[in-house]
Amino acid sequence: MGLLKNVGTVLRRNRLLSGLDDAQMAELVALGRVSRFIEGQTVFTKGDPGDCLYAILKGQIAVSTSSVDGKTMLLNILNPGDVLGEIALIDGKERTAGAAALRPSELFRIDRPEFISFLERHPRLCIEMMAVLCERLRWVSENIEDAVFHDVPRRLARRILLLLDTYGQRSTAGIRVNQAVSQESLAAMLGVTREMVNKSLRALRNSGAITYTKGFIVVTDLHLLKDMAGESDRVP
């Protein structure tokens, strides 16, 4: 009973599942099981069958994609309450990206037949899932536009703003990204070289928009960073 309650509490952090009532959440939790992953362990790889949905209960998961020549791009870093694998789960086709544990993690797994049956019993959840998938499509489109139309400093500034949405914490020095992010990780997120990220970080630091020490970013001038990201009208 304790596990059921804990799983339900974390799942309610997710927009897709937050609207379930207690009975529906109990039904959903009963359909799944907890899987544990050590740091660095693969959850699934690009091209794997979309046979299940995962919700993060504990830890942190990196979602990435790779090209045939071995180049890798870090798409996102997910935290407790986030759901992954929903795209392939719906159509039953291959995974569009891979996922691996950045730290010891516990994931709640629901296999595709059980989740599809759950959706059929609760059609209102299908509407929520469509909204989530539309958000994902918009996010992908924005990333494509970034890669095609924007230079690296602007793309880096936009990525820092996204990191603020998830990890931002106000401090006396500014708004701190409360998660260490290496230059290698930033390069993987943007699909560029570490040298290009280093140069762009230096430009952002020299402008007074941020500081960057031991992997931690502090935004010291949010309005300037938004201006450099081309999002000066973005709500703080």
Side-chain angles (χ1 to χ4, degrees):
M1 186 67 180
L3 176 62
L4 184 150
K5 182 178 180 180
N6 291 338
V7 170
T9 298
V10 176
L11 294 183
R12 287 195 188 281
R13 300 181 195 174
N14 185 267
R15 174 186 167 181
L16 174 63
L17 306 174
S18 62
L20 297 180
D21 61 32
D22 290 343
Q24 292 168 342
M25 181 61 75
E27 179 186 351
L28 180 66
V29 172
L31 297 175
R33 62 187 187 276
V34 176
S35 298
R36 293 174 174 83
F37 297 85
I38 63 173
E39 182 176 340
Q41 184 176 355
T42 297
V43 178
F44 54 77
T45 59
K46 182 178 179 180
D48 282 354
D51 56 358
C52 66
L53 175 79
Y54 288 103
I56 304 173
L57 302 178
K58 179 181 177 181
Q60 196 171 59
I61 303 295
V63 179
S64 62
T65 188
S66 58
S67 62
V68 293
D69 59 356
K71 294 181 180 178
T72 300
M73 183 173 185
L74 181 60
L75 299 176
N76 210 350
I77 297 175
L78 303 178
N79 298 285
D82 288 331
V83 168
L84 63 154
E86 68 273 26
I87 294 178
L89 179 86
I90 294 301
D91 62 16
K93 296 182 179 179
E94 296 179 346
R95 302 285 190 190
T96 57
L102 289 177
R103 58 185 64 177
S105 301
E106 293 182 359
L107 307 184
F108 182 70
R109 170 179 173 149
I110 305 177
D111 290 334
R112 185 172 188 270
E114 285 74 18
F115 191 73
I116 296 299
S117 295
F118 183 79
L119 289 179
E120 291 172 345
R121 293 192 296 274
H122 306 287
R124 287 186 60 186
L125 188 60
C126 295
I127 303 299
E128 290 296 326
M129 177 157 276
M130 283 192 290
V132 169
L133 294 178
C134 286
E135 284 184 358
R136 184 67 55 85
L137 180 60
R138 291 177 185 275
W139 182 81
V140 170
S141 297
E142 289 174 359
N143 275 272
I144 292 173
E145 289 182 7
D146 275 352
V148 173
F149 299 119
H150 299 150
D151 57 22
V152 177
R154 173 165 289 194
R155 289 167 60 193
L156 179 58
R158 290 166 66 89
R159 175 59 63 169
I160 292 172
L161 288 174
L162 287 175
L163 290 171
L164 284 184
D165 289 341
T166 303
Y167 302 108
Q169 183 175 0
R170 293 191 178 274
S171 68
T172 55
I175 308 176
R176 186 175 188 262
V177 177
N178 200 28
Q179 167 72 33
V181 187
S182 68
Q183 292 189 30
E184 290 80 3
S185 293
L186 289 169
M189 290 177 186
L190 300 178
V192 299
T193 65
R194 181 185 178 280
E195 289 73 21
M196 294 176 73
V197 166
N198 182 277
K199 182 178 180 181
S200 298
L201 279 172
R202 189 162 57 247
L204 291 176
R205 287 199 305 264
N206 291 342
S207 72
I210 69 166
T211 63
Y212 182 74
T213 307
K214 296 182 179 179
F216 286 96
I217 300 168
V218 176
V219 177
T220 51
D221 191 328
L222 181 59
H223 293 292
L224 177 58
L225 183 67
K226 288 178 180 179
D227 186 60
M228 298 179 77
E231 300 187 17
S232 55
D233 58 345
R234 179 182 171 125
V235 176

